[in-house]
Structures are given as C-alpha cells and as structure tokens.
Amino acid sequence: MENTSKDPLHGKRLDAILEELLEYYKGYGELGKQINIKCFTGENPSVSSSLKFLRKTDWARAKVESLYLYVLRQKKKQKQSKK
C-alpha cells in the first residue's frame, strides 16, 4: 500500500504556492492586503524577490502557507456550493 500524505502542503513547492495565491488574489495588491509584508507591498514586487525573502524568513513563509491552506478551503467550499 502506498503512503500518501493528507497534508496539502506535502510536495508543494513554494513558488507554486505563491503563483496560486497571486492568481487567486489577482496580483500583489490584494495579496499584500492579506499578508502585509514588504516583499508583497513594496515597489515592484516580483516572484523571485518574494521567494528569496520567504525562503530566508520562517515567520513570513508560515503566513503564506497558512493563507494558502485558507484559500484551498475557500476553493473547496465554492466547488461544493456550485453542486
């Protein structure tokens, strides 16, 4: 029997999480309102600069992962309400 993790973050790369959040919130403007950190709210934010900061800063990465889990729950609720 194959061991599969029930953790939605298992095997998920940080860049993929960030891209999905940017898509869900339609850019850095709204994402910065959800998580008020300079790599999202500063001038000219980019995926590469955000990833550098998130990889070095555990508390910021934890906030991003937490928001990602929230977004997954919201997407699941939206799918269920459409049925």
Side-chain angles (χ1 to χ4, degrees):
M1 190 162 94
E2 199 175 300
N3 287 338
T4 57
S5 175
K6 293 191 183 239
D7 179 5
L9 295 173
H10 180 78
K12 196 76 168 175
R13 292 172 41 126
L14 185 57
D15 59 340
I17 291 171
L18 182 57
E19 291 285 350
E20 198 166 330
L21 288 174
L22 286 168
E23 182 180 325
Y24 185 82
Y25 287 107
K26 296 175 179 43
Y28 279 103
E30 287 301 313
L31 182 56
K33 290 178 184 175
Q34 298 299 314
I35 303 175
N36 188 12
I37 53 179
K38 200 168 188 169
C39 71
F40 296 157
T41 61
E43 287 186 37
N44 301 320
S46 69
V47 172
S48 64
S49 66
S50 296
L51 288 172
K52 283 179 189 175
F53 177 76
L54 294 171
R55 288 184 178 125
K56 288 191 266 181
T57 315
D58 291 338
W59 63 265
R61 183 179 182 143
K63 285 184 177 229
V64 168
E65 289 173 345
S66 178
L67 181 62
Y68 177 71
L69 294 174
Y70 170 78
V71 165
L72 289 180
R73 289 191 302 271
Q74 293 303 108
K75 286 181 175 182
K76 190 174 181 179
K77 283 181 185 177
Q78 289 171 353
K79 274 187 181 177
Q80 290 174 346
S81 67
K82 288 181 181 180
K83 288 184 179 179

